[in-house]
């Protein structure tokens, strides 16, 4: 019976997303990541299409977060971490020396596992990115960006009367939506989400999931999740990682019903991980 | 018997009591009843019962015995001697005590003195015996009582816990009482000072000219605090102007940019700065920095005195750099990586992240560090004694000599002093003022740190 529920949610997720023609947004070729001498990711090839929700699943330590963090070069901030291979965003190599990593991260935003609002007011949290990149000419414009971002994140009605209160005073789920609002305030093209719901309760999780589905109309979303039902509910395609390898990537429906690799089947049926 | 020997004997007795307790406790185990506490706790409880009451008697006795003996001796002095007051009475008691202890006095003691000494000696002897006897009785009673109480159900563990809690409370009370004692003694002497000088003249006076105590009370000097306070404030501000930027940037470099080995090497070296004796900073200022400022000033046509607020302030600033850099470094390092990631993930550069996210998040701690350094600067003495020029005149020119509160305390309390004159007593009023300032700085620092910490978590 649970299988039926899953299938039903798969069908609806597919229905919501299959009216886009796939357009290549990012592509990775033979991406390897080394922490010091040890290789954490053994040559990943993956294409990401515009306006899709792509989920990464796999057991802990399989390299899915590591790969995600390659996509906006957040791995650069880790000492001793080295990335080889080629990752393109709209046909440009993002590891090219001439590319400014700061601009890359403005185009490829990120939402983290634990909500991490800055110890500033709600308004300042959202205005932070637009100010950095000079997206607003005037205070009125900035106000508008803040309102638009919060509205898109479904948070406006809850916080509009207390924009000057600290963002750290919100509940966990609100904080995570604040972080999503903060990410979309700089108008990124791709949003990377690293287990965004793992610290949230089921109700907050449902809200964030709904938000992700809505956001996929305008953004490309790559999401790492430990929750396979979540992957099934919100993603169009799913990639399964195991021991630093990308085992297979396919339509979510296919991964969860007729996976082509036995390891994938073992994982989704709960035989390991 | 010497007091130390007595205490040692008591400790040995407690050791034995512990052994008895554990042995008795083990013999209880044979039964089927489940023991509430382990033999260790039973042993400790027995030892405490044996030692604590006896020790309390010892303490109280040592505290009150001299007073009781004294009044006993006074009572049997001849009537004409009983009317003695203050100083003369003290002299008499000293003489009696010297005779009683067998040390003797230089001249021939009077008959009533010998009688008093004899009485004192016999009282001391019996008192001693009585004390040892009561201690022994208490120790044995405590031991027997505790041993009898031992049973599987006895909550010895909790009892021992309670005793140790009391012990901890007593120890922390000692620290607190000491602080209160220092403050009270300063308040007392300062009030004494204010009998000579009107507090308004002291706190708001703009002239500092205490004269010498030998010139007599008819020509009381002027004790205006403001020139000294201003000197302290000026030197401290200069010190902070040097230390805050340098210290803060050092901290940012150490925490955010320096590779591990540089940090491991540089941090201890910087902290050495805080360990240099301040007198060394003082002559460094006097011999090197002061003349350098003087000649540098001449080169640009400025008249900078070698010993000035500037010299003292700059050197003091160097001294307090490690306070700021080391504390701020720790605080910056503690800002969660998630904050940095959040900012970097939005496309901020490293320095933008530091300026707009890391430093604001660390601000309460940094403010605390700065205030700590400030109270250090305000209380600092040796550097200003040597390098500030000791000129208690109210002016706003940092290139001129100044004097500070601490320097003046040193001046007023060195050389020939008479503790009844306002010239010396003023030191207590100054000390109290200084204490009040640093105390309020610390309170403000704590308040700021608390207030912002709540917001941060």
């Amino acid at each position: 019976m649970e299988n039926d529920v899953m299938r039903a949610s798969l069908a609806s997720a597919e229905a919501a997303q299959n009216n886009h023609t796939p357009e290549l947004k990012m592509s990775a070729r033979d991406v390897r990541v080394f922490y010091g001498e040890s290789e954490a990711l053994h040559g990943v090839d993956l294409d990401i299409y515009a306006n899709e929700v792509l989920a990464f699943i796999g057991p802990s330590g399989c390299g899915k977060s590591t790969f995600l963090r390659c996509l906006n070069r957040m791995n650069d901030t880790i000492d001793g971490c080295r990335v080889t291979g080629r990752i393109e965003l709209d046909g440009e190599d993002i590891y090219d020396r001439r590319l400014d990593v700061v601009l890359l991260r403005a185009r490829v935003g990120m939402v983290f596992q634990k909500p991490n609002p800055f110890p500033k007011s709600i308004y300042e949290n959202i205005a932070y990115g637009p100010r950095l990149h000079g997206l607003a000419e005037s205070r009125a414009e900035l106000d508008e960006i803040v309102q638009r971002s919060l509205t898109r994140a479904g948070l406006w009605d809850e916080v509009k009367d207390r924009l000057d209160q600290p963002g750290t005073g919100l509940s966990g789920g609100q904080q995570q939506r604040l972080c999503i609002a903060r990410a979309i305030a700089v108008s990124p093209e791709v949003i990377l989400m690293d287990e965004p719901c793992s610290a949230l309760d089921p109700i907050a999780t449902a809200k964030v999931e709904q938000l992700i589905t809505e956001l996929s109309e305008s953004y490309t979303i790559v999401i790492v999740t430990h929750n396979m039902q979540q992957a099934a509910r919100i993603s169009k395609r799913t990639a399964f990682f195991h021991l630093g390898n990308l085992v297979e990537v396919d339509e979510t429906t296919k991964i969860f019903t007729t996976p082509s690799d036995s390891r994938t089947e073992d994982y989704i049926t709960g035989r390991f991980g | 018997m010497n007091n130390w020997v007595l205490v040692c004997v008591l400790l040995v007795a407690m050791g034995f009591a512990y052994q008895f307790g554990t042995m008795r406790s083990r013999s209880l185990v044979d039964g089927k009843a489940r023991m509430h506490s382990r033999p260790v706790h039973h042993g400790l409880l027995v030892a405490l019962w044996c030692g604590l009451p006896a020790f309390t008697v010892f303490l109280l006795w040592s505290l009150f015995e001299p007073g009781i003996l004294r009044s006993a001796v006074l009572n049997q002095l001849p009537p004409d001697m009983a009317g003695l007051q203050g100083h003369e009475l003290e002299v008499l008691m000293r003489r009696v005590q010297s005779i009683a202890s067998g040390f003797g006095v230089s001249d021939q003691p009077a008959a009533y003195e010998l009688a008093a000494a004899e009485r004192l000696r016999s009282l001391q002897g019996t008192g001693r015996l009585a004390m040892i006897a009561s201690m022994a009785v208490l120790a044995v009673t405590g031991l027997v009582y505790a041993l009898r109480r031992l049973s599987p159900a006895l909550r010895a563990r909790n009892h021992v816990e309670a005793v140790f809690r009391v012990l901890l409370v007593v120890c922390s009370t000692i620290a607190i009482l000491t602080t209160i004692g220092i403050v009270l003694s300063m308040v007392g002497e300062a009030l004494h000072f204010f009998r000579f000088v009107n507090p308004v003249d002291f706190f708001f006076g703009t002239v500092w000219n205490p004269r010498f105590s030998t010139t007599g009370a008819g020509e009381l000097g002027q004790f205006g605090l403001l020139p000294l306070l201003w000197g302290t404030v000026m030197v401290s501000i200069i010190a902070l102007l040097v230390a805050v930027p340098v210290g803060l940037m050092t901290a940012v470099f150490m925490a955010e940019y320096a590779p591990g080995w540089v940090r491991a090497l540089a941090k201890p070296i910087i902290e050495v700065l805080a360990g240099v004796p301040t007198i060394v900073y003082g002559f460094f200022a006097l011999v090197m920095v002061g003349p350098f400022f003087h000649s540098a000033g001449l080169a640009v046509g400025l008249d900078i005195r070698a010993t000035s607020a500037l010299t003292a302030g700059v050197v003091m600033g160097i001294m307090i750099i490690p306070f700021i850099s080391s504390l701020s470094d720790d605080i910056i390092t503690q800002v969660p990586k998630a904050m940095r990631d959040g900012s970097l993930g939005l496309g901020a550069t490293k320095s933008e992240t530091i300026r707009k996210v890391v430093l604001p998040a660390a601000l309460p701690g940094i403010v605390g560090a700065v205030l700590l350094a400030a109270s250090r600067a305000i209380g600092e003495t040796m550097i200003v004694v040597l390098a500030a020029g000791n000129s208690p005149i109210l002016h706003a020119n940092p290139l001129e000599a100044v004097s500070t509160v601490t320097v003046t305390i040193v001046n007023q309390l060195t050389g020939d002093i008479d503790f009844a004159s306002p010239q010396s007593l003023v030191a207590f009023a100054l000390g109290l003022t200084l204490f009040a300032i640093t105390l309020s700085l610390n309170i403000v620092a704590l308040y700021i740190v608390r207030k912002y910490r709540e917001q941060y978590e």
Side-chain angles (χ1 to χ4, degrees):
Chain A
M1 187 200 135
E2 201 180 319
N3 220 5
D4 287 349
V5 173
M6 190 182 270
R7 246 168 241 191
S9 65
L10 284 179
S12 67
E14 201 178 1
Q17 284 163 8
N18 65 3
N19 50 1
H20 295 289
T21 45
E23 170 203 339
L24 192 62
K25 190 70 194 169
M26 298 187 82
S27 72
R29 289 295 174 266
D30 193 32
V31 172
R32 290 166 193 274
V33 177
F34 302 85
Y35 291 117
E37 287 304 304
S38 68
E39 193 176 294
L41 215 54
H42 317 297
V44 172
D45 297 320
L46 182 66
D47 289 330
I48 300 164
Y49 298 102
N51 297 80
E52 73 169 343
V53 177
L54 173 61
F56 291 176
I57 61 169
S60 298
C62 66
K64 55 194 188 305
S65 288
T66 299
F67 181 68
L68 187 79
R69 292 169 65 93
C70 290
L71 297 178
N72 69 345
R73 294 184 53 179
M74 280 303 280
N75 281 334
D76 292 10
T77 65
I78 298 172
D79 284 338
C81 181
R82 197 158 49 85
V83 181
T84 65
R86 187 177 173 87
I87 300 177
E88 287 178 358
L89 171 64
D90 289 340
E92 276 178 278
D93 182 3
I94 66 170
Y95 280 88
D96 191 298
R97 264 174 207 287
R98 281 162 300 177
L99 181 126
D100 185 358
V101 66
V102 164
L103 295 181
L104 167 71
R105 291 187 190 140
R107 291 173 66 191
V108 184
M110 188 150 195
V111 174
F112 297 85
Q113 182 170 3
K114 236 182 102 202
N116 59 347
F118 301 130
K120 300 169 183 282
S121 71
I122 292 170
Y123 184 94
E124 288 299 322
N125 261 286
I126 307 295
Y128 183 80
R131 281 215 181 102
L132 282 180
H133 301 292
L135 298 184
E137 295 291 323
S138 63
R139 177 79 188 193
E141 235 175 295
L142 193 59
D143 287 349
E144 206 241 300
I145 292 177
V146 170
Q147 178 172 358
R148 181 155 31 91
S149 309
L150 284 170
T151 310
R152 292 227 52 182
L155 200 58
W156 176 250
D157 289 332
E158 292 164 56
V159 301
K160 65 183 174 199
D161 299 324
R162 46 171 174 152
L163 290 175
D164 55 342
Q165 303 278 308
T168 43
L170 298 173
S171 74
Q174 287 173 324
Q175 284 189 15
Q176 194 60 297
R177 279 182 286 148
L178 181 69
C179 291
I180 294 174
R182 187 174 73 183
I184 58 187
V186 293
S187 312
E189 297 155 36
V190 182
I191 303 176
L192 310 176
M193 298 188 176
D194 192 355
E195 298 182 43
C197 300
S198 65
L200 306 183
D201 67 48
I203 295 168
T205 301
K207 280 190 181 162
V208 171
E209 284 180 7
Q210 193 198 346
L211 176 58
I212 291 170
T213 309
E214 285 165 21
L215 290 177
S216 68
E217 286 165 20
S218 3
Y219 307 98
T220 306
I221 293 174
V222 185
I223 177 170
V224 167
T225 177
H226 265 295
N227 181 334
M228 280 180 279
Q229 264 126 8
Q230 183 173 66
R233 280 193 296 267
I234 60 177
S235 69
K236 180 165 186 289
R237 291 195 307 148
T238 296
F240 172 64
F241 286 77
H242 184 234
L243 297 177
N245 293 303
L246 174 61
V247 175
E248 67 173 300
V249 52
D250 215 323
E251 295 292 317
T252 300
T253 346
K254 185 161 179 303
I255 291 275
F256 281 97
T257 49
T258 51
S260 44
D261 194 291
S262 63
R263 285 172 292 177
T264 315
E265 186 165 5
D266 286 350
Y267 182 69
I268 60 169
T269 52
R271 228 164 280 166
F272 67 85
Chain B
M1 215 190 310
N2 189 301
N3 279 347
W4 285 113
V5 177
L6 210 57
V7 171
C8 288
V9 169
L10 197 59
L11 281 177
V12 171
M14 285 175 75
F16 279 114
Y18 176 77
Q19 292 300 335
F20 288 144
T22 46
M23 267 153 61
R24 172 115 175 81
S25 169
R26 289 216 176 80
S27 71
L28 287 172
V29 182
D30 300 337
K32 282 183 184 165
R34 201 179 129 68
M35 301 288 282
H36 173 273
S37 306
R38 298 183 44 229
V40 184
H41 305 119
H42 284 140
L44 275 175
L45 187 68
V46 174
L48 287 172
W49 264 107
C50 170
L52 273 190
F55 189 68
T56 315
V57 165
F58 173 72
L59 274 188
L60 292 178
W61 204 289
S62 314
L63 213 59
F64 292 114
E65 192 198 25
I68 296 170
L69 287 185
R70 183 188 162 101
S71 62
V73 171
L74 282 181
N75 279 340
Q76 62 95 236
L77 280 178
D80 58 325
M81 287 295 156
L84 281 181
Q85 286 303 323
H87 198 56
E88 290 173 32
L89 190 65
E90 280 315 307
V91 172
L92 176 61
M93 286 310 293
R94 288 266 166 77
R95 283 173 66 86
V96 170
Q97 271 163 9
S98 300
I99 299 166
S101 65
F103 189 72
V105 287
S106 53
D107 56 350
Q108 190 61 39
Y112 68 87
E113 282 177 338
L114 284 175
E118 187 52 40
R119 181 156 168 77
L120 183 62
R121 186 149 42 176
S122 78
L123 279 177
Q124 271 172 343
T126 36
R128 192 91 197 147
L129 268 184
M131 177 176 85
I132 293 173
S134 54
M135 281 173 71
V137 169
L138 272 178
V140 172
T141 322
L143 178 69
V144 172
Y145 173 72
L147 278 177
R148 291 193 155 220
R149 276 186 63 196
L150 289 194
S151 71
L154 179 68
R155 303 191 166 188
R157 198 175 192 161
N158 307 18
H159 293 317
V160 171
E161 195 84 345
V163 171
F164 277 107
R165 196 167 56 220
V166 171
L167 211 67
L168 297 181
V169 170
V170 169
C171 287
S172 45
T173 314
I174 290 175
I176 294 168
L177 286 183
T178 313
T179 314
I180 295 176
I182 291 174
V183 172
L184 284 187
S185 72
M186 284 210 298
V187 168
E189 298 292 337
L191 287 179
H192 203 87
F193 167 73
F194 287 129
R195 287 214 309 256
F196 292 98
V197 178
N198 186 341
V200 176
D201 291 341
F202 174 70
F203 286 112
F204 300 103
T206 54
V207 178
W208 176 263
N209 182 16
R211 315 261 168 98
F212 291 106
S213 52
T214 43
T215 52
E219 273 187 272
L220 202 60
Q222 283 172 287
F223 296 89
L225 172 69
L226 289 182
L228 310 177
L229 203 58
W230 172 241
T232 295
V233 169
M234 188 151 71
V235 172
S236 303
I237 288 176
I238 294 171
L240 289 178
L241 283 180
V242 172
V244 170
V246 177
L248 208 53
M249 288 183 196
T250 308
V252 168
F253 173 72
M254 287 291 169
E256 299 284 338
Y257 291 97
W261 65 272
V262 172
R263 191 181 142 104
L265 198 69
K267 215 178 161 185
I269 294 179
I270 292 172
E271 278 164 13
V272 164
L273 277 180
V276 175
T278 55
I279 185 75
V280 174
Y281 278 113
F283 64 69
F284 172 63
L286 192 66
V287 177
M288 315 273 296
V289 181
F292 170 74
F293 280 149
H294 181 67
S295 50
L298 285 183
V300 294
L302 267 176
D303 182 24
I304 304 179
R305 281 190 48 136
T307 54
S308 64
L310 184 69
T311 310
V314 166
V315 174
M316 196 191 284
I318 293 169
M319 182 192 78
I320 59 179
I321 284 174
F323 283 85
I324 294 179
S325 74
S326 201
L327 283 171
S328 306
D329 177 7
D330 292 343
I331 291 154
I332 291 172
T333 321
Q334 276 168 18
V335 172
K337 189 170 185 311
M339 294 288 158
R340 296 188 176 85
D341 283 352
S343 173
L344 293 173
L346 285 169
T349 63
K350 192 159 184 171
S351 77
E352 282 165 346
T353 301
I354 292 168
R355 261 186 299 127
K356 296 187 174 164
V357 174
V358 177
L359 286 184
L363 190 65
I366 292 172
V367 170
V370 169
L371 289 183
L372 195 72
S375 57
R376 184 68 211 252
I378 288 170
E380 170 50 36
T381 311
M382 278 334 290
I383 294 175
V384 272
V385 165
L386 289 177
N390 189 19
S391 152
I393 296 163
L394 196 59
H395 61 72
N397 185 357
L399 309 181
E400 280 292 322
V402 293
S403 185
T404 68
V405 178
T406 49
V407 170
T408 311
I409 294 178
V410 171
N411 288 341
Q412 297 308 112
L413 290 185
T414 43
D416 271 346
I417 51 167
D418 167 11
F419 268 102
S421 72
Q423 280 79 4
S424 308
L425 287 173
V426 70
F428 292 96
L430 290 173
L432 197 63
T433 314
L434 210 54
F435 179 76
I437 293 172
T438 47
L439 184 69
S440 27
L441 267 186
N442 285 353
I443 291 174
V444 170
L446 277 181
Y447 174 76
I448 292 177
V449 169
R450 285 223 186 98
K451 185 172 177 219
Y452 285 91
R453 181 173 293 157
E454 280 163 21
Q455 188 188 26
Y456 178 41
E457 274 162 7

